[in-house]
Amino acid sequence: MKSEVSEMGTGVGGGAGGNKYGSLNLTDLPQDCIATVFSFTSPRDACRLSLVSTTFKSASESDAVWESFLPSDHQASIPSSLSFSSKKELYLSLCENHILIDGGRKSLQLERVSGKKVYMLSARDLFIVWGDTPTYWRWISIPESRFEEVAELIDVCWLEIRGKIAVSMLSPMTRYKACLVFKATAGAYGLDFQPAEVSVSIAGAEGCKRTVYLDAARGLRQRYQIVPRRIGLFSRSRFLGLRAPVPPAPAGGDDQYPKTRGDGWFEIELGEFFNDGSIDGELEMSVMEVDGGHWKGGLIVQGIEIRPCL
């Protein structure tokens, strides 16, 4: 990059003698003009260009450049209690740390390379069937969560979780993926037998559905054909019961099993959606396991994350 820009700076006319129009060195341009040019690049390019010269460094770190990399509505999302010395500091902070918005029911972050918006809907922002019935779910606080509360599954035979977000909140011309972010307790049960059906679609429209497993250890067991000891006929009894065969894994590969995230939680992909900037309405995501009739528990739901596909 440095050599390319240096060559550009030797003159438009090319060659030692230039031409009848003379030569133009980019570093001779006013700094605000250089900053305007840099604002049409990317955060990564701006950082690379800052290494070329002191003039480029000053231009690449200007607020005008980094303002262009921030979402146009970022000012409405940043809490007034937060202050930053520059737009670049704000950008980097949003890449490294999420902020809570919507009364703490959502979090917002930026993808470092592109500056696209990343959201997580908290468990409280989701629709969970029987979520307010203490017999089936309970709300707890744990230090690992970014939100004040998470939902812990106690015991249900009907698992249904849905989330919605306005499409207008997402970055335009961006392909997004949605993932359920969760953990399992040491006593989790019933998550390893029946697959869950997940989908992502515009609310009111028929989305693409697929099946996944919420048991993170299932992929390993399937690979080595390990048969776990079932606990009761419907996985509800805590007493040792029957041995049941592991049902065949769905076609599709590893993306149908949970993956470990960098923050220590698990995630399972629900689906993808391309926001071309012309769609109104809400994006709806769902997780359902209602067909097996067996009981399950021990799932801790932090939320659903919607982030750009890399």
Side-chain angles (χ1 to χ4, degrees):
M1 176 63 75
K2 182 174 181 179
S3 61
E4 294 173 0
V5 177
S6 296
E7 290 174 5
M8 292 169 59
T10 58
V12 175
N19 62 18
K20 64 179 180 179
Y21 299 109
S23 61
L24 173 64
N25 193 315
L26 291 183
T27 58
D28 292 337
L29 291 173
Q31 185 171 305
D32 58 344
C33 291
I34 299 175
T36 299
V37 173
F38 288 179
S39 68
F40 288 97
T41 63
S42 67
R44 175 178 289 176
D45 288 336
C47 291
R48 289 174 172 172
L49 289 165
S50 69
L51 303 176
V52 173
S53 68
T54 55
T55 302
F56 277 23
K57 179 176 177 61
S58 297
S60 66
E61 294 187 349
S62 69
D63 280 351
V65 171
W66 291 91
E67 176 81 24
S68 69
F69 300 148
L70 289 164
S72 58
D73 58 351
H74 71 275
Q75 293 182 341
S77 304
I78 306 301
S80 58
S81 58
L82 299 179
S83 61
F84 300 90
S85 61
S86 67
K87 296 297 184 180
K88 180 179 180 180
E89 182 185 7
L90 170 59
Y91 180 92
L92 295 178
S93 177
L94 289 176
C95 291
E96 294 292 338
N97 309 288
H98 64 268
I99 59 172
L100 297 181
I101 60 174
D102 194 17
R105 298 174 69 90
K106 297 180 180 70
S107 71
L108 169 65
Q109 200 165 357
L110 297 183
E111 196 278 315
R112 175 180 288 274
V113 175
S114 65
K116 304 289 188 180
K117 291 185 281 189
V118 180
Y119 290 98
M120 186 183 292
L121 313 182
S122 69
R124 277 295 187 189
D125 207 35
L126 305 177
F127 170 75
I128 302 176
V129 171
W130 295 335
D132 292 323
T133 305
T135 306
Y136 304 121
W137 290 85
R138 68 170 180 165
W139 295 89
I140 60 175
S141 297
I142 57 176
E144 311 95 273
S145 174
R146 67 182 62 182
F147 301 111
E148 184 176 348
E149 291 182 303
V150 296
E152 181 182 357
L153 173 59
I154 303 300
D155 194 29
V156 297
C157 64
W158 184 289
L159 177 64
E160 182 175 351
I161 302 172
R162 296 183 181 274
K164 290 183 179 180
I165 186 171
V167 175
S168 59
M169 295 177 65
L170 305 177
S171 298
M173 302 307 295
T174 304
R175 179 169 293 280
Y176 276 91
K177 70 167 55 178
C179 297
L180 179 72
V181 181
F182 67 96
K183 282 188 174 185
T185 65
Y189 62 95
L191 302 172
D192 58 342
F193 187 71
Q194 187 72 21
E197 184 179 80
V198 298
S199 68
V200 173
S201 66
I202 295 298
E206 186 69 22
C208 180
K209 299 178 180 179
R210 65 193 194 97
T211 56
V212 300
Y213 282 91
L214 299 178
D215 177 28
R218 178 181 168 79
L220 181 62
R221 290 200 304 270
Q222 189 71 37
R223 185 180 307 165
Y224 295 103
Q225 296 297 307
I226 300 173
V227 180
R229 180 180 291 276
R230 305 296 297 173
I231 302 179
L233 184 59
F234 295 109
S235 303
R236 192 177 189 185
S237 171
R238 297 305 177 99
F239 298 101
L240 293 179
L242 303 174
R243 286 182 181 269
V246 178
D254 291 343
D255 64 341
Q256 292 183 294
Y257 300 110
K259 294 181 173 61
T260 303
R261 294 163 51 94
D263 57 10
W265 290 77
F266 288 111
E267 68 176 30
I268 187 72
E269 183 178 333
L270 309 182
E272 296 184 358
F273 167 76
F274 180 72
N275 178 25
D276 63 6
S278 65
I279 302 175
D280 294 324
E282 294 180 306
L283 185 68
E284 183 176 76
M285 301 135 287
S286 67
V287 180
M288 297 185 66
E289 199 283 90
V290 300
D291 297 329
H294 68 286
W295 293 77
K296 58 196 76 63
L299 193 72
I300 298 177
V301 177
Q302 180 173 204
I304 293 179
E305 184 174 75
I306 306 101
R307 66 173 185 263
C309 298
L310 299 180

